[in-house]
């Protein structure tokens, strides 16, 4: 999938982490193979040996021996650069727990380490730019929120249990009411905020009896750059937003905690009748419809970051081990669907058959007038004058 | 602790406590539960009751193909296995086997789980609908459906579901015991409650079928099973099992289902679903915490009604056009059913909107007024400041309604007024929201606004033929200018945010709207009455832009085939026309 020049599509990359200690001890088999030439991932199912491996193609694939540095250079660097130019960009990280998401996103936190994660690299990138840019003042602020069960909470707020409202302002766009923003002057500030937010995420989970890995979180860095223009001597402000989105794993969200109700986990089919809405929504297909089912606060929130000169990247993390087959398959399928996320409302046009017919008639008349009249110029002088009137009407 | 108590602890661990297992040890409880079930194998069951003896009079245990199997016999028949306790013990083992097999399946050893389940099935399949075996059978078949589906063997799963359906139908004349009653029949349970659990399990079967058919893209089947699921859920409402019933969810799902039937042109069924959804929402208690959720949902259902109206008008006009094309009596084409495909058991008020296809202006107006009422009401919740996206969509629906109404209106003056309303609405919105933050919405609005100018212009030109006043000429010039600037603004929204440059290449989904915008601009320029030469030159330029783009991007031609050929013709003809105009000058 070539990225179009408008940059409005989602670039999807898949990274496979190496086997970990536990898997090596258990002598787990590798079921993932990647072809970096064709950007394909092949997934074997050891339970069904007569089945061919499942194949997926992405914008880029990074096998077990890859380093985060190359992922950053290939895929993330241009995104962060665009933020510094005043555009918005979003990086989605997706993957089940234990499959390498934090390995790629956070990584080894030693400056200079080839496996240092995408997030600390992004911070560094931004602050490096701000320190060398002469004549431009930078104001960098960050916010950190969590979306759980369509409820939004401020992970850096005073009351981490308070649910915040998502609103749309005619001028300012989509915003979260009362979300706190915190100024950052260096990489450490950002990392501190992220740590604090992560701790609050875990605390909140215990307090509210939920699993933090089932929520989405969004860490946003707002970079406002003020510089004096050479052209008109005035001060211009550019603002770029970098959203770092940690997506919840999807399968486990199908559980609900109704007491006494017997629920059984099984892959790929939802058991809880609360998923009935999803099943029905999936049937509705048409231009004019309204589904009163789900808000999807995540989509609303990222609306202005999912298109219109913005760059979007999804990083899907998978494990090579055979006992993660289900999770890996689920992740690859999710990432595959993400390739098609465009979130672009179709521009509806009114039916134009009648109009087209009229147009064709006009052309015919014009042809008649111009080509037919060529040989009988003088004779048609008067009729040309009349013809001109009617052409005003037609053309 | 009794056997039953130990069994119930294992069940609780397996199905309820496991929900709280951590992400890093997701099967901890299940493994522990499996151990507990395995331990119960050799434990003595304890005393037996008379009820059990009675039930076992119709259930015999035989040996066939080296396997013990249950079969049904008449109560007065001589059984092969005379010991009730032997039969009972075997049945309990099957029950334990069932849970263990299910745990294998749940902990990603599906093949193991499936073969164990099939083994149990062999032992009970000749007596599936015996009161003692019914629940076990149903649960077991459900498990097999899940496993087959997880292997994407959807047709296998459907076959098993047919067995389930057969089992369910046979169960209607008996009283199936609960799973745990295989161990000990509970005389304190009401027959009603006992039935409830069985019914709920079967509802799950139907729900799985809805999903399977969804995966097979057999939407009608899927929708039907969704409907059956809703129907069965409804039976819990109004009874003493209503604590399992959530009117809010039910209403929402019903409203969503209406949208399916609506997009399939079945307005009778869609209307019925929406009316049921509205009715059910009345049963949602408006407690303090839920107030806003309820208010939002009520407003949301109104939007479903609006879409209903838009679709009804749209389909109606389509069908009338088809009738005209095929030279058929409109009444033939537009005949529609007024009976819904099914009816939920809710008492409904009389409908306030038709479900038949519209034939004339008066009928269209009724639908229009109905929808406008819903829109106004919904807008009081979805106010612009706070709900930009929703509010704008409601305005777009308004514009669509006017546009559909125009079709049925024959008087040009009134048509013009309707387009004027659309223009006022859309242009006001364009001035009120930030282009930067609502880029997609802005593009849609601008495009539609441009189309409105074009349609209004065409109508004015028709009028000009009859009236030919200076005022009309002024109006035409004014509209033309507005049309051009609107489409130009539309095109500018595609430009690079920073450099303001036009893109070299447009994304696939924008190619047609962009080229159409140029096409419209070309046409607008040609409608100017003054400065014909300059304006026609502009028109020609626009046609050239279109042709240049398509020639540079051959893949884009499919999006604009018809218009492209017209553009090419114009590029040939217009220079000749321009030459003529220059000569006249």
């Amino acid at each position: 999938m070539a990225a179009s020049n408008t940059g409005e599509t989602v670039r999807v990359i898949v990274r496979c982490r190496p086997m970990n200690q536990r898997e090596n001890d258990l002598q787990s088999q590798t079921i993932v193979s990647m072809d970096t030439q064709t950007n394909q991932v092949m997934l074997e199912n050891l339970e069904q040996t007569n089945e061919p491996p499942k194949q997926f193609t992405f914008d880029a694939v990074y096998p077990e021996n890859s380093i985060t540095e190359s992922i950053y250079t290939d895929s993330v660097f241009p995104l962060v650069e665009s933020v510094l130019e005043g555009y918005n960009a979003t990086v989605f990280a997706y993957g089940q727990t234990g499959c390498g998401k934090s390995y790629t996103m956070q990584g080894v936190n030693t400056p200079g380490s080839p496996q240092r994660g995408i997030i600390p690299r992004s911070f560094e990138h931004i602050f490096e730019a701000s320190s060398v840019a002469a004549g431009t003042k930078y104001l960098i602020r960050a916010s950190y929120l969590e979306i759980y069960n369509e409820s939004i909470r401020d992970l850096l707020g005073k009351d981490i249990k308070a649910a915040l409202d998502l609103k749309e302002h005619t001028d300012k766009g989509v915003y979260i009411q009362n979300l706190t923003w915190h100024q950052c002057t260096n990489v450490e500030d950002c990392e501190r905020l992220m740590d604090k937010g992560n701790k609050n995420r875990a605390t909140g989970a215990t307090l509210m009896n939920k699993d933090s890995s089932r929520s989405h979180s969004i860490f946003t860095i707002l970079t406002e750059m003020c510089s004096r223009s050479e052209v008109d001597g005035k001060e211009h402000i550019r603002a770029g937003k970098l959203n770092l989105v940690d997506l919840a794993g999807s399968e486990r969200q199908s559980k609900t905690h109704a007491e006494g109700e017997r629920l059984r986990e099984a892959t790929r089919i939802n058991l809880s009748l609360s998923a009935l809405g999803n099943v029905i929504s999936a049937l509705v297909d048409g231009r004019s419809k309204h589904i009163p089912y789900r808000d999807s606060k995540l989509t609303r929130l990222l609306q202005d970051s999912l298109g219109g000169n913005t760059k979007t990247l999804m990083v899907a993390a998978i494990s090579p081990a055979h006992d993660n087959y289900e999770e890996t398959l689920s992740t690859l399928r999710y990432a595959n669907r993400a390739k098609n996320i465009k979130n672009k409302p179709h521009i509806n046009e009114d039916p134009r058959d009648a109009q087209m017919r009229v147009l064709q008639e006009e052309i015919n008349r014009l042809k008649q007038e111009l080509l037919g009249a060529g040989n009988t110029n003088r004779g048609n002088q008067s009729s040309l004058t009349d013809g001109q009137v009617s052409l005003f009407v037609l053309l | 602790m009794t056997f039953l108590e130990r069994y119930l602890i294992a069940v609780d661990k397996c199905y309820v406590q496991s929900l709280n297992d951590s992400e890093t040890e997701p099967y901890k409880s299940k493994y522990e539960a499996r151990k507990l079930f395995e331990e119960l194998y050799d434990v003595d069951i304890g005393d037996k009751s008379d009820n059990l003896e009675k039930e076992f009079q119709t259930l015999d245990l035989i040996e066939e193909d080296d396997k013990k199997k249950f079969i049904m016999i008449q109560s007065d028949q001589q059984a092969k296995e005379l010991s009730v306790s032997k039969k009972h013990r075997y049945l309990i083992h099957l029950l334990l086997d069932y849970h263990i097999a299910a745990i294998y399946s749940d902990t990603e050893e599906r093949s193991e789980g499936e073969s164990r389940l099939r083994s149990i099935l062999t032992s009970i399949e000749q007596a599936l609908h015996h009161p003692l075996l019914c629940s076990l059978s149903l649960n077991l078949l459900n498990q097999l459906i899940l496993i087959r589906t997880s292997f994407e063997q959807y047709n296998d799963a459907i076959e098993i579901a047919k067995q389930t359906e057969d089992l369910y139908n046979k169960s209607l004349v008996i009283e199936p015991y609960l799973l745990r009653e295989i161990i000990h029949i509970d005389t304190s349970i009401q027959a009603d409650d006992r039935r409830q659990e069985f019914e709920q399990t079967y509802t799950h079967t139907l729900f799985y079928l809805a999903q399977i058919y969804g995966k097979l893209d057999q939407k009608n089947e899927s929708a039907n099973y969704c409907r059956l699921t809703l129907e069965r859920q409804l039976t819990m409402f109004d009874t003493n099992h209503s604590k399992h019933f959530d009117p809010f969810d039910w209403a929402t799902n019903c409203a969503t289902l209406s949208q399916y039937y609506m997009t399939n042109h079945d307005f009778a069924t869609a209307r019925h679903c929406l009316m049921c959804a509205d009715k059910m929402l009345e049963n949602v208690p408006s407690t303090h915490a839920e107030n806003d959720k309820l208010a939002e949902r009520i407003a949301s259902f109104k939007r479903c009604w609006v879409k209903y109206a838009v679709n009804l008008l749209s389909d109606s006009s389509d069908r009338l056009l088809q009738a005209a094309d095929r030279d058929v009596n409109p009444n033939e084409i537009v005949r529609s059913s007024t009976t819904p495909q099914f009816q939920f058991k809710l008492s409904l008020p009389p409908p306030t909107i038709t479900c038949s296809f519209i034939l004339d202006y008066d009928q269209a107006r009724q639908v229009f007024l109905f929808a406008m009422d819903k829109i106004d009401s919904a807008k009081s919740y979805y106010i612009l400041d706070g709900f930009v996206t929703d509010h704008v969509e409601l305005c777009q629906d308004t514009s669509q309604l006017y546009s559909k109404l125009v079709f049925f209106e024959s008087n040009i003056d009134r048509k013009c007024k309707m387009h004027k309303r659309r223009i006022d609405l859309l242009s006001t919105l364009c001035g009120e929201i930030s282009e930067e933050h609502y880029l997609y919405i802005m593009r849609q609005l601008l495009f539609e606004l441009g189309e409105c100018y074009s349609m209004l212009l065409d109508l004015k030109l028709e009028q000009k033929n009859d009236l030919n006043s200076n005022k009309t000429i002024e109006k035409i010039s004014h509209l033309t200018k507005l049309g051009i600037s609107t489409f130009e603004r539309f095109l500018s929204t595609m430009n690079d945010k920073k450099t303001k440059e036009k893109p070299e290449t447009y994304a696939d989904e924008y190619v047609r709207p962009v080229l159409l915008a140029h096409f419209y601009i070309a046409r607008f320029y040609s409608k100017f009455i003054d400065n014909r030469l300059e304006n026609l030159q502009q028109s020609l330029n626009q046609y050239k832009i279109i042709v240049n783009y398509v020639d540079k991007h051959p893949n884009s031609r499919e999006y604009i085939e018809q218009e492209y050929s017209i553009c090419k013709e114009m590029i040939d003809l217009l220079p000749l026309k321009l030459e003529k105009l220059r000569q006249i000058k």
Side-chain angles (χ1 to χ4, degrees), chain B residues 41 54 196 260 446 451 492 546 560:
Chain B
Y41 244 80
K54 188 158 157 285
Q196 247 338 288
Y260 169 75
L446 288 169
E451 283 181 319
S492 74
I546 297 170
I560 192 128

Side-chain angles (χ1 to χ4, degrees), chain B residues 73-281:
Chain B
I73 55 173
Q74 302 290 344
S75 50
D76 52 359
Q77 248 180 287
Q78 174 75 300
K80 288 257 164 57
E81 177 54 71
L82 296 169
S83 159
V84 170
S85 55
K86 270 220 184 93
K87 290 193 256 194
H88 191 200
R89 163 161 277 113
Y90 189 68
L91 183 52
I92 289 181
H93 281 171
L94 289 182
L95 174 63
L96 298 172
D97 281 342
Y98 161 72
H99 286 297
I100 293 167
I103 291 172
Y104 272 106
S105 168
D106 292 347
T107 56
E108 296 174 30
E109 289 185 70
R110 286 168 300 168
S111 300
E112 177 66 33
E114 187 172 24
S115 69
R116 282 169 183 253
L117 288 169
R118 288 201 182 275
S119 172
I120 301 168
L121 186 59
T122 319
S123 290
I124 62 173
E125 63 193 343
Q126 293 179 60
L128 284 181
H129 53 277
H130 186 279
L132 281 176
L133 294 180
C134 236
S135 291
L136 178 60
S137 309
L138 185 58
N139 279 286
L140 191 146
L141 290 173
N142 269 358
Q143 268 293 348
L144 285 173
I145 290 173
L146 290 174
I147 296 174
R148 284 283 97 204
T149 307
S150 73
F151 286 130
E152 290 168 36
Q153 301 297 312
Y154 300 125
N155 290 310
D156 286 351
I158 291 173
E159 282 307 307
I160 301 172
K162 292 206 173 99
Q163 264 187 291
T164 320
E165 197 178 11
D166 184 62
L167 166 62
Y168 176 77
N169 289 332
K170 293 203 172 92
S171 80
L172 290 172
V173 295
I174 55 153
E175 211 178 282
Y177 289 104
L178 304 176
L179 269 187
R180 60 180 165 84
E181 291 186 282
I182 284 177
I183 296 167
H184 176 80
I185 292 179
D186 187 345
T187 45
S188 68
I189 298 184
Q190 303 279 13
D192 221 21
D193 293 326
R194 191 176 268 145
R195 187 81 211 165
Q196 247 338 288
E197 189 172 306
F198 190 79
E199 293 288 333
Q200 271 199 52
T201 312
Y202 186 61
T203 303
H204 274 87
T205 313
L206 299 176
F207 177 51
Y208 300 156
L209 276 172
Q211 293 177 68
I212 294 169
Y213 280 114
K215 288 178 197 295
L216 289 171
D217 206 29
Q218 290 182 35
K219 293 193 173 180
N220 267 336
E221 291 296 330
S222 181
N224 190 42
Y225 281 101
C226 288
R227 180 269 297 191
L228 283 168
T229 307
L230 286 173
E231 220 168 63
R232 294 175 59 81
Q233 287 181 319
L234 195 56
T235 61
M236 288 193 292
F237 176 61
D238 240 10
T239 64
N240 31 344
H241 301 109
S242 52
K243 68 171 166 17
H244 290 297
F245 182 80
D246 184 345
F248 192 83
D249 268 352
W250 194 95
T252 307
N253 290 334
C254 200
T256 311
L257 191 61
S258 82
Q259 299 296 283
Y260 169 75
Y261 288 106
M262 174 191 82
T263 54
N264 272 339
H265 321 292
D266 181 350
F267 293 97
T269 310
R271 182 178 73 176
H272 176 73
C273 287
L274 274 174
M275 288 175 69
C276 289
D278 279 345
K279 189 78 201 310
M280 184 52 75
L281 219 50

Side-chain angles (χ1 to χ4, degrees), chain B residues 481-498:
Chain B
K481 288 199 186 99
L482 284 171
I484 291 173
S485 65
T486 302
F487 276 116
E488 281 182 344
R489 192 174 164 200
F490 168 78
L491 287 169
S492 74
T493 66
M494 301 285 170
N495 297 346
D496 185 285
K497 183 174 154 185
K498 206 177 71 165

Side-chain angles (χ1 to χ4, degrees), chain A residues 4-6 8 47-48 54 85-87 97 167-174 211 213-214 238-239 252 255-257 260 262-273 275-277 279-286 288-293 300 303-304 306-309 323 326-327 333 342-350 352 355-356 358-360 362-363 366-367 369-371 384 388 391-395, chain B residues 15 18-20 23 26 98 106 108 110-111 143 146 149-152 179 204 207-208 211 215 219 222-223 226 229-230 233 252-253 255-257 259-260 262-263 297 300 303-304 307 310-311 384-390 422 432-434 437-440 443-444 447 451 454-455 465 490 495-498 504-505 507 509-510 512 516 519-520 523 526-527 532 562-563 566 569-570 573 576-577 580-581 584:
Chain A
S4 83
N5 289 349
T6 56
E8 291 188 15
E47 239 183 89
Q48 309 261 71
K54 292 193 162 60
E85 283 169 21
Y87 298 97
T97 307
K167 291 238 172 266
E168 293 176 337
H169 192 274
T170 51
D171 278 333
K172 295 187 291 213
V174 177
D211 192 328
S213 69
R214 296 172 195 185
R238 288 193 322 262
R252 307 229 174 234
K255 282 183 177 173
T256 64
H257 293 247
R262 288 168 59 202
L263 299 172
R264 286 150 293 166
E265 273 271 25
T267 54
R268 278 171 247 132
I269 210 174
N270 285 311
L271 297 169
S272 161
L273 283 170
L276 179 57
V279 181
I280 302 179
S281 314
L283 298 172
V284 184
D285 190 9
S288 199
K289 60 189 188 284
H290 178 73
I291 302 202
Y293 185 67
R300 286 275 179 114
Q303 218 158 256
D304 64 350
L306 275 175
N309 294 160
D323 56 346
E326 293 298 338
E327 279 94 341
R333 285 192 165 146
K342 284 168 184 177
N343 195 35
K344 288 192 221 346
H346 180 74
I347 290 184
N348 298 325
E349 50 167 297
D350 272 340
R352 305 182 61 248
Q355 223 180 58
M356 293 305 292
V358 168
L359 270 170
Q360 199 57 56
E362 288 173 14
I363 290 186
L366 180 57
K367 270 188 194 161
E369 185 229 330
L370 292 174
L371 305 176
L384 198 58
Q388 232 170 18
L391 273 168
F392 284 149
V393 174
L394 294 171
L395 250 184
Chain B
Y15 296 106
S18 62
L19 296 176
N20 290 321
E23 196 70 27
Y98 161 72
D106 292 347
E108 296 174 30
R110 286 168 300 168
S111 300
Q143 268 293 348
L146 290 174
T149 307
S150 73
F151 286 130
E152 290 168 36
L179 269 187
H204 274 87
F207 177 51
Y208 300 156
Q211 293 177 68
K215 288 178 197 295
K219 293 193 173 180
S222 181
C226 288
T229 307
L230 286 173
Q233 287 181 319
T252 307
N253 290 334
T256 311
L257 191 61
Q259 299 296 283
Y260 169 75
M262 174 191 82
T263 54
R297 204 49 54 97
S300 194
R303 293 172 72 179
C304 292
K307 300 296 180 185
V310 170
N311 276 288
L384 180 61
D385 195 10
F387 297 97
V388 174
T389 315
D390 302 300
R422 296 176 69 191
E432 284 179 327
I433 63 178
S434 148
H437 290 110
Y438 299 104
L439 194 59
Y440 297 141
R443 284 174 182 164
Q444 278 184 314
F447 194 88
E451 283 181 319
S454 176
M455 284 185 264
N465 276 340
F490 168 78
N495 297 346
D496 185 285
K497 183 174 154 185
K498 206 177 71 165
E504 273 279 329
T505 308
E509 57 274 3
Y510 285 130
R512 185 173 166 77
L516 269 187
F519 196 75
Y520 272 110
R523 201 145 181 272
S526 70
K527 300 295 180 192
R532 288 290 284 164
Q562 260 193 317
E563 288 85 357
I566 290 188
E569 298 210 67
M570 285 300 191
L573 297 171
L576 299 174
K577 173 85 190 158
K580 281 209 143 52
L581 285 174
I584 291 173

Side-chain angles (χ1 to χ4, degrees), chain B residues 289-325:
Chain B
E290 299 291 304
N291 254 339
D292 192 57
K293 245 174 97 182
L294 183 58
E296 188 275 335
R297 204 49 54 97
I298 292 175
S300 194
F301 288 7
K302 296 200 164 96
R303 293 172 72 179
C304 292
W305 278 115
V306 174
K307 300 296 180 185
Y308 172 94
V310 170
N311 276 288
L312 183 58
L313 287 172
S314 195
D315 283 0
S316 300
S317 54
D318 283 347
R319 276 155 205 259
L320 286 172
L321 282 174
Q322 275 175 37
D325 271 349

